Amino acid sequence: MSNVDNVVADLSQDRPRLGRSSTAERVADILRDRISEGFFPPGQRLSEESISEALGVSRNTLREAFRLLGHERLLDHRLNRGVFVRLPSAADVSDLYRVRRVLEGAAVRRTPDETELATIGEAVRDAERAAAKDDWQGVGTANIRFHQTLVSLIGSPRIDEAMRQLLAELRLVFHVMENPRAFHEPFVDRNRTLLELIGSGGPDAAAAYLDDYLDHAEQLLIHAFEPSR
Protein backbone atom coordinates (compact mmCIF):
# COMPACT_ATOMS: atom_id res chain seq x y z
CA MET A 1 0.00 0.00 0.00
CA SER A 2 1.40 3.40 -0.98
CA ASN A 3 1.87 6.30 1.43
CA VAL A 4 -1.11 8.10 -0.12
CA ASP A 5 -3.28 5.00 0.32
CA ASN A 6 -2.25 4.90 3.96
CA VAL A 7 -3.23 8.54 4.42
CA VAL A 8 -6.64 7.98 2.82
CA ALA A 9 -7.26 4.91 4.95
CA ASP A 10 -6.21 6.87 8.03
CA LEU A 11 -8.91 9.45 7.29
CA SER A 12 -11.38 7.09 8.98
CA GLN A 13 -9.91 8.29 12.28
CA ASP A 14 -11.26 11.76 11.46
CA ARG A 15 -14.88 10.61 11.35
CA PRO A 16 -15.63 11.77 14.93
CA ARG A 17 -14.85 15.33 13.83
CA LEU A 18 -17.83 15.23 11.50
CA GLY A 19 -20.41 14.83 14.23
CA ARG A 20 -23.97 13.77 13.46
CA SER A 21 -24.49 16.36 10.75
CA SER A 22 -21.73 15.70 8.25
CA THR A 23 -21.23 18.84 6.23
CA ALA A 24 -19.03 19.79 3.32
CA GLU A 25 -17.39 22.48 5.44
CA ARG A 26 -16.27 19.94 8.04
CA VAL A 27 -14.98 17.58 5.36
CA ALA A 28 -13.09 20.50 3.80
CA ASP A 29 -11.61 21.31 7.22
CA ILE A 30 -10.30 17.76 7.56
CA LEU A 31 -8.79 17.66 4.08
CA ARG A 32 -7.29 21.14 4.52
CA ASP A 33 -5.64 19.99 7.74
CA ARG A 34 -4.19 16.94 6.00
CA ILE A 35 -2.81 19.17 3.25
CA SER A 36 -1.31 21.48 5.91
CA GLU A 37 0.32 18.47 7.55
CA GLY A 38 1.99 17.57 4.26
CA PHE A 39 0.20 14.27 3.64
CA PHE A 40 -1.28 15.07 0.22
CA PRO A 41 1.44 16.21 -2.22
CA PRO A 42 0.84 18.44 -5.26
CA GLY A 43 -0.30 16.51 -8.32
CA GLN A 44 -1.90 13.76 -6.24
CA ARG A 45 -5.29 12.67 -7.60
CA LEU A 46 -7.92 12.44 -4.85
CA SER A 47 -10.21 9.43 -5.13
CA GLU A 48 -13.87 10.23 -4.45
CA GLU A 49 -14.59 6.58 -3.72
CA SER A 50 -11.85 5.94 -1.16
CA ILE A 51 -12.12 9.31 0.63
CA SER A 52 -15.92 9.26 0.88
CA GLU A 53 -15.73 5.69 2.23
CA ALA A 54 -12.98 6.56 4.72
CA LEU A 55 -14.91 9.55 6.08
CA GLY A 56 -18.33 7.93 5.82
CA VAL A 57 -19.84 10.77 3.79
CA SER A 58 -21.73 10.88 0.51
CA ARG A 59 -20.00 11.67 -2.74
CA ASN A 60 -22.15 14.76 -3.10
CA THR A 61 -20.87 16.05 0.25
CA LEU A 62 -17.30 15.27 -0.75
CA ARG A 63 -17.72 17.00 -4.12
CA GLU A 64 -18.94 20.12 -2.35
CA ALA A 65 -15.88 19.96 -0.06
CA PHE A 66 -13.66 19.62 -3.12
CA ARG A 67 -15.37 22.67 -4.63
CA LEU A 68 -14.70 24.71 -1.48
CA LEU A 69 -11.04 23.71 -1.47
CA GLY A 70 -10.83 24.55 -5.15
CA HIS A 71 -11.90 28.11 -4.34
CA GLU A 72 -9.09 28.18 -1.77
CA ARG A 73 -6.60 27.26 -4.52
CA LEU A 74 -5.78 23.95 -2.88
CA LEU A 75 -7.35 21.63 -5.47
CA ASP A 76 -7.65 21.59 -9.26
CA HIS A 77 -10.65 20.12 -11.08
CA ARG A 78 -9.47 18.66 -14.40
CA LEU A 79 -12.13 17.88 -16.97
CA ASN A 80 -12.69 14.14 -17.36
CA ARG A 81 -9.68 13.41 -15.17
CA GLY A 82 -10.78 14.15 -11.61
CA VAL A 83 -9.64 16.29 -8.70
CA PHE A 84 -5.95 16.87 -8.04
CA VAL A 85 -3.95 18.61 -5.31
CA ARG A 86 -2.72 21.87 -6.79
CA LEU A 87 0.90 22.95 -7.21
CA PRO A 88 1.18 26.70 -6.57
CA SER A 89 3.32 28.82 -8.89
CA ALA A 90 6.18 31.21 -8.18
CA ALA A 91 3.66 34.07 -8.54
CA ASP A 92 1.52 32.40 -5.87
CA VAL A 93 4.54 32.25 -3.56
CA SER A 94 5.15 35.99 -3.93
CA ASP A 95 1.52 36.79 -3.22
CA LEU A 96 1.38 34.44 -0.22
CA TYR A 97 4.36 36.25 1.28
CA ARG A 98 2.78 39.65 0.67
CA VAL A 99 -0.17 38.53 2.78
CA ARG A 100 2.08 36.94 5.41
CA ARG A 101 3.99 40.20 5.90
CA VAL A 102 0.73 42.01 6.63
CA LEU A 103 -0.77 39.43 8.98
CA GLU A 104 2.33 38.29 10.84
CA GLY A 105 3.73 41.80 10.95
CA ALA A 106 0.62 42.90 12.83
CA ALA A 107 0.80 39.85 15.11
CA VAL A 108 4.39 40.34 16.32
CA ARG A 109 3.60 43.92 17.37
CA ARG A 110 1.11 42.70 19.93
CA THR A 111 2.12 41.83 23.49
CA PRO A 112 1.21 38.22 24.27
CA ASP A 113 0.34 36.95 27.73
CA GLU A 114 2.13 33.99 29.32
CA THR A 115 -0.40 31.46 28.07
CA GLU A 116 -0.05 32.68 24.49
CA LEU A 117 3.73 32.62 24.72
CA ALA A 118 3.61 29.07 26.06
CA THR A 119 1.42 27.95 23.15
CA ILE A 120 3.78 29.47 20.59
CA GLY A 121 6.73 27.99 22.46
CA GLU A 122 5.25 24.51 22.27
CA ALA A 123 5.21 24.73 18.48
CA VAL A 124 8.89 25.74 18.59
CA ARG A 125 9.73 22.79 20.82
CA ASP A 126 7.77 20.41 18.58
CA ALA A 127 9.91 21.53 15.63
CA GLU A 128 13.08 21.06 17.67
CA ARG A 129 12.02 17.54 18.70
CA ALA A 130 11.12 16.62 15.11
CA ALA A 131 14.46 17.98 13.85
CA ALA A 132 16.29 15.84 16.41
CA LYS A 133 14.54 12.79 14.91
CA ASP A 134 15.38 13.89 11.36
CA ASP A 135 11.63 14.18 10.72
CA TRP A 136 11.50 17.13 8.34
CA GLN A 137 7.85 16.70 7.46
CA GLY A 138 7.16 16.99 11.18
CA VAL A 139 9.33 20.11 11.32
CA GLY A 140 7.29 21.61 8.49
CA THR A 141 4.03 20.82 10.31
CA ALA A 142 5.32 22.39 13.54
CA ASN A 143 6.44 25.44 11.60
CA ILE A 144 2.97 25.83 10.09
CA ARG A 145 1.48 25.63 13.60
CA PHE A 146 3.99 28.18 14.89
CA HIS A 147 2.88 30.76 12.34
CA GLN A 148 -0.80 29.95 12.79
CA THR A 149 -0.48 30.43 16.55
CA LEU A 150 1.50 33.61 16.02
CA VAL A 151 -1.29 35.15 13.96
CA SER A 152 -3.86 34.08 16.55
CA LEU A 153 -2.36 36.82 18.78
CA ILE A 154 -4.39 39.30 16.72
CA GLY A 155 -7.54 37.80 18.24
CA SER A 156 -9.65 37.64 15.06
CA PRO A 157 -11.43 34.42 14.07
CA ARG A 158 -11.70 35.73 10.49
CA ILE A 159 -7.96 36.33 10.29
CA ASP A 160 -7.31 32.92 11.86
CA GLU A 161 -9.40 31.29 9.13
CA ALA A 162 -7.65 33.24 6.38
CA MET A 163 -4.29 32.19 7.81
CA ARG A 164 -5.30 28.52 7.89
CA GLN A 165 -6.14 28.67 4.20
CA LEU A 166 -2.94 30.55 3.37
CA LEU A 167 -0.74 28.12 5.29
CA ALA A 168 -2.37 25.09 3.67
CA GLU A 169 -1.50 26.57 0.27
CA LEU A 170 2.00 27.36 1.48
CA ARG A 171 2.49 23.77 2.60
CA LEU A 172 1.96 22.70 -1.01
CA VAL A 173 4.83 24.99 -1.99
CA PHE A 174 7.14 23.23 0.48
CA HIS A 175 6.96 20.12 -1.72
CA VAL A 176 9.01 21.84 -4.45
CA MET A 177 12.05 21.81 -2.18
CA GLU A 178 14.32 18.93 -3.19
CA ASN A 179 16.07 18.94 0.20
CA PRO A 180 13.50 19.48 2.99
CA ARG A 181 16.17 19.52 5.67
CA ALA A 182 18.18 22.27 3.97
CA PHE A 183 15.03 24.35 3.72
CA HIS A 184 13.47 23.78 7.16
CA GLU A 185 16.52 23.46 9.41
CA PRO A 186 17.52 27.17 9.56
CA PHE A 187 14.00 28.17 10.55
CA VAL A 188 13.97 25.92 13.61
CA ASP A 189 16.48 28.28 15.26
CA ARG A 190 14.91 31.34 13.65
CA ASN A 191 11.53 30.50 15.19
CA ARG A 192 13.20 30.27 18.60
CA THR A 193 14.85 33.68 18.10
CA LEU A 194 11.58 35.27 16.94
CA LEU A 195 9.78 33.86 19.97
CA GLU A 196 12.42 35.35 22.27
CA LEU A 197 12.09 38.76 20.63
CA ILE A 198 8.31 38.66 20.98
CA GLY A 199 8.60 37.60 24.62
CA SER A 200 11.08 40.36 25.43
CA GLY A 201 8.51 43.01 24.59
CA GLY A 202 10.43 44.57 21.71
CA PRO A 203 7.85 44.76 18.91
CA ASP A 204 10.03 46.81 16.56
CA ALA A 205 12.91 44.35 16.85
CA ALA A 206 10.55 41.41 16.38
CA ALA A 207 8.96 43.01 13.32
CA ALA A 208 12.35 43.77 11.74
CA TYR A 209 13.52 40.21 12.38
CA LEU A 210 10.30 38.84 10.89
CA ASP A 211 10.79 40.89 7.72
CA ASP A 212 14.23 39.39 7.20
CA TYR A 213 12.91 35.92 8.08
CA LEU A 214 10.13 36.09 5.48
CA ASP A 215 12.45 37.56 2.84
CA HIS A 216 14.82 34.62 3.34
CA ALA A 217 12.06 32.00 3.11
CA GLU A 218 10.50 33.60 0.03
CA GLN A 219 13.84 33.75 -1.78
CA LEU A 220 14.51 30.05 -1.11
CA LEU A 221 11.09 29.04 -2.43
CA ILE A 222 11.20 31.29 -5.49
CA HIS A 223 14.63 29.87 -6.34
CA ALA A 224 13.14 26.38 -6.35
CA PHE A 225 10.88 27.39 -9.25
CA GLU A 226 13.70 28.71 -11.43
CA PRO A 227 14.08 26.91 -14.79
CA SER A 228 17.80 26.31 -14.17
CA ARG A 229 16.82 23.71 -11.64
Side-chain angles (χ1 to χ4, degrees):
M1 182 179 288
S2 70
N3 182 58
V4 172
D5 290 335
N6 287 331
V7 171
V8 170
D10 193 49
L11 285 174
S12 60
Q13 298 182 17
D14 289 316
R15 283 194 187 189
R17 295 176 56 184
L18 297 174
R20 293 185 177 181
S21 56
S22 298
T23 66
E25 289 84 359
R26 291 192 182 97
V27 173
D29 285 344
I30 289 169
L31 295 178
R32 188 188 305 107
D33 286 348
R34 290 300 180 119
I35 289 171
S36 292
E37 292 162 3
F39 289 107
F40 289 122
Q44 173 62 46
R45 183 179 180 277
L46 298 184
S47 166
E48 280 189 12
E49 181 179 3
S50 56
I51 293 177
S52 61
E53 181 178 348
L55 290 175
V57 298
S58 71
R59 290 202 182 187
N60 284 339
T61 295
L62 182 60
R63 286 169 189 158
E64 176 62 13
F66 283 168
R67 187 186 67 80
L68 293 172
L69 294 175
H71 284 305
E72 295 177 17
R73 302 182 182 86
L74 298 178
L75 301 180
D76 279 331
H77 293 72
R78 302 180 188 174
L79 187 63
N80 299 324
R81 294 185 60 195
V83 176
F84 294 78
V85 180
R86 181 173 175 268
L87 173 62
S89 66
D92 290 321
V93 172
S94 294
D95 198 37
L96 287 168
Y97 275 82
R98 288 187 195 100
V99 179
R100 289 189 69 182
R101 288 182 180 91
V102 173
L103 297 184
E104 296 186 52
V108 299
R109 292 183 178 279
R110 299 182 66 86
T111 303
D113 59 31
E114 290 301 318
T115 300
E116 291 169 331
L117 275 176
T119 302
I120 299 171
E122 187 57 34
V124 172
R125 288 188 290 276
D126 282 347
E128 292 168 343
R129 286 190 286 264
K133 297 176 183 177
D134 206 29
D135 174 11
W136 299 103
Q137 178 172 310
V139 172
T141 298
N143 185 56
I144 290 287
R145 192 166 67 256
F146 171 81
H147 291 284
Q148 180 72 59
T149 307
L150 188 63
V151 166
S152 71
L153 295 176
I154 297 173
S156 166
R158 289 175 176 82
I159 290 176
D160 288 346
E161 180 63 25
M163 191 65 176
R164 273 192 291 274
Q165 295 176 14
L166 181 152
L167 290 173
E169 190 175 358
L170 185 66
R171 187 58 186 260
L172 295 179
V173 179
F174 288 174
H175 287 278
V176 307
M177 304 305 295
E178 293 180 356
N179 187 334
R181 176 174 184 169
F183 174 63
H184 288 300
E185 191 168 32
F187 294 99
V188 176
D189 289 337
R190 296 200 75 162
N191 285 351
R192 170 67 64 184
T193 300
L194 182 57
L195 174 63
E196 291 170 354
L197 288 170
I198 294 169
S200 68
D204 290 339
Y209 187 82
L210 176 69
D211 283 342
D212 181 70
Y213 176 119
L214 294 177
D215 285 346
H216 181 200
E218 181 182 6
Q219 289 166 9
L220 290 173
L221 291 169
I222 292 293
H223 178 67
F225 283 91
E226 292 178 356
S228 59
R229 290 175 61 84

